[in-house]
Amino acid sequence: MAQQSHLPILRDVRSIRQVRASMRGPVSLVPTMGLLHEGHLSLVRLAAEKTQSIIVSIYANPTQLTGPDEVSSYPSTLDTDLELLAALNKQLKHRGSGTVQAVFAPTDKEMYPCSPPDDIPRGLGSFVNILPMTSVLEGADRPGHFVGVATVCLKLFNAIKPDKVYFGEKDYQQTVIIKRLVQDFLLDIEVVVGETIREADGMALSSRNVFLGTRRRAVATVLVRALYAARNGYEAGKVERNKLVSLCKQVVEEEQVKQGQLLKAQRANFEVIYFELTDHESMTPIGTVNPEKGAVICGAIRMLPLVVLAYGEDGGRLDGNDTVRLIDSILLEPKSTSHCI
């Protein structure tokens, strides 16, 4: 058992099961793919309010990434992640709340013992598919992504047997799928959803943000600005999908015109993948919000490679040569049915 920053780092299923068996009382699991940020840490803090024992998993699951290029370019930040968790643990101990008791950082062989991970996208091996919600929105644009998510989560849940698991609201479709996974497979687990943690300008914290660099990061706020426009429209009484999505597109089109007027060395191009209004329980696209129930407005954009990287400019982890996919979602809360148009 390797040790770093006084946190047990467990690499195999047998070891994590032994440690889990020694824990008293309810146990929380916070699954991550590494590249930890304040959003992840907020989930650990939430877990610390609910249980004394917390396990954080750090595993860059290849079956939910898009092809070998994304797998190979996904950075390993385990040492930094452990430092962040150790620092947070000190704060949690000082408060007398729950703490991270172990970090589970398994190998591919541990998580996929009988066949290589690349068998799953090809339809081979053992995997979990929860239709139709894994095939819409993110699932439609990234075929197989949620198969990988559901499969690895079921494996983690089986290995650790947590009482509670924690996911962020930003990846709203993922939270819905995990809830269905727990329900359909009769798992005795509570799924806890933590609120989206945002920067001062509204940008949702995401592990992918490190790839943006200064220029693309500034323009990437177009996603949340578009979603906020839809939310404002809903709060003003608009409930039809075409009106709410149109508000999103208006913000996007204005930003695209602005970028098109800039010099190449100043420009940050992007493209829309989707904006959609969905039911918050099934992620099914809907035509009209039921104000008594509310809904979710979801969006995804793709920040394109920089055409020209200025001398000394921060272009992101890959110097602006990559595309960076960003997603976000905003809950449209239930409200009075009056004044809806």
Side-chain angles (χ1 to χ4, degrees):
M1 182 186 299
Q3 294 281 343
Q4 178 154 345
S5 303
H6 309 293
L7 279 175
I9 316 303
L10 307 167
R11 298 288 192 174
D12 58 84
V13 172
R14 181 185 177 199
S15 296
I16 193 63
R17 283 178 171 164
Q18 289 175 339
V19 169
R20 168 64 180 90
S22 70
M23 294 178 178
R24 296 181 179 180
V27 174
S28 290
L29 168 65
V30 181
T32 81
M33 290 181 64
L35 274 176
L36 300 189
H37 53 69
E38 182 57 33
H40 298 111
L41 300 184
S42 72
L43 295 178
V44 176
R45 292 190 190 95
L46 182 59
E49 296 174 1
K50 297 180 178 294
T51 68
Q52 286 298 304
S53 298
I54 305 166
I55 296 172
V56 174
S57 65
I58 297 177
Y59 178 60
N61 177 37
T63 64
Q64 70 189 77
L65 297 172
T66 308
D69 289 342
E70 188 176 10
V71 172
S72 62
S73 65
Y74 198 89
S76 174
T77 58
L78 182 60
D79 289 344
T80 303
D81 294 340
L82 295 175
E83 290 173 4
L84 289 173
L85 291 174
L88 178 57
N89 248 9
K90 290 182 180 180
Q91 298 173 14
L92 297 175
K93 288 178 181 178
H94 182 71
R95 298 175 188 172
S97 58
T99 58
V100 179
Q101 300 291 312
V103 173
F104 183 44
T107 63
D108 286 344
K109 183 61 178 176
E110 281 294 312
M111 296 305 291
Y112 297 93
C114 297
S115 59
D118 60 2
D119 274 356
I120 288 183
R122 296 188 289 119
L124 304 175
S126 304
F127 57 93
V128 179
N129 199 4
I130 302 174
L131 295 168
M133 59 181 60
T134 57
S135 63
V136 298
L137 301 175
E138 287 297 286
D141 188 62
R142 304 176 70 192
H145 167 68
F146 281 126
V147 173
V149 171
T151 298
V152 79
C153 283
L154 183 59
K155 288 170 179 280
L156 289 170
F157 298 168
N158 282 334
I160 297 172
K161 298 289 193 293
D163 298 283
K164 303 176 188 294
V165 293
Y166 300 77
F167 295 86
E169 188 178 78
K170 177 183 74 71
D171 301 311
Y172 197 88
Q173 186 175 4
Q174 176 175 267
T175 68
V176 172
I177 289 169
I178 297 303
K179 287 179 180 178
R180 181 64 62 85
L181 170 75
V182 166
Q183 183 179 14
D184 279 350
F185 285 86
L186 310 180
L187 304 177
D188 188 16
I189 297 173
E190 178 186 355
V191 180
V192 182
V193 179
E195 66 179 17
T196 302
I197 305 300
R198 299 185 180 276
E199 302 279 7
D201 60 5
M203 181 86 165
L205 294 186
S206 170
S207 297
R208 294 179 182 272
N209 292 356
V210 300
F211 294 94
L212 290 171
T214 305
R215 196 193 323 169
R216 291 191 294 180
R217 166 63 181 79
V219 176
T221 60
V222 67
L223 176 56
V224 70
R225 288 189 279 118
L227 296 177
Y228 280 168
R231 184 183 65 182
N232 293 341
Y234 170 70
E235 292 175 350
K238 293 180 173 62
V239 295
E240 295 180 2
R241 175 195 177 277
N242 62 345
K243 292 181 180 179
L244 296 174
V245 171
S246 178
L247 290 171
C248 294
K249 291 180 178 179
Q250 181 178 342
V251 173
V252 165
E253 289 167 0
E254 289 175 357
E255 185 62 47
Q256 287 176 326
V257 169
K258 177 182 175 181
Q259 293 302 310
Q261 294 172 342
L262 298 175
L263 298 174
K264 291 182 179 180
Q266 300 173 323
R267 190 181 305 165
N269 293 322
F270 66 93
E271 59 188 20
V272 173
I273 302 172
Y274 63 80
F275 284 106
E276 190 56 86
L277 180 70
T278 71
D279 178 85
H280 67 87
E281 293 179 342
S282 68
M283 297 308 295
T284 303
I286 57 176
T288 305
V289 184
N290 178 349
E292 295 182 349
K293 185 178 181 181
V296 183
I297 186 79
C298 307
I301 64 172
R302 186 177 289 111
M303 299 302 300
L304 301 177
L306 296 176
V307 178
V308 176
L309 182 66
Y311 179 76
E313 179 183 4
D314 173 18
R317 187 176 283 270
L318 298 179
D319 294 326
N321 293 313
D322 53 338
T323 59
V324 183
R325 200 176 184 286
L326 301 172
I327 64 172
D328 203 349
S329 58
I330 300 288
L331 280 172
L332 305 181
E333 300 287 352
K335 62 177 184 177
S336 169
T337 56
S338 61
H339 305 300
C340 294
I341 59 177

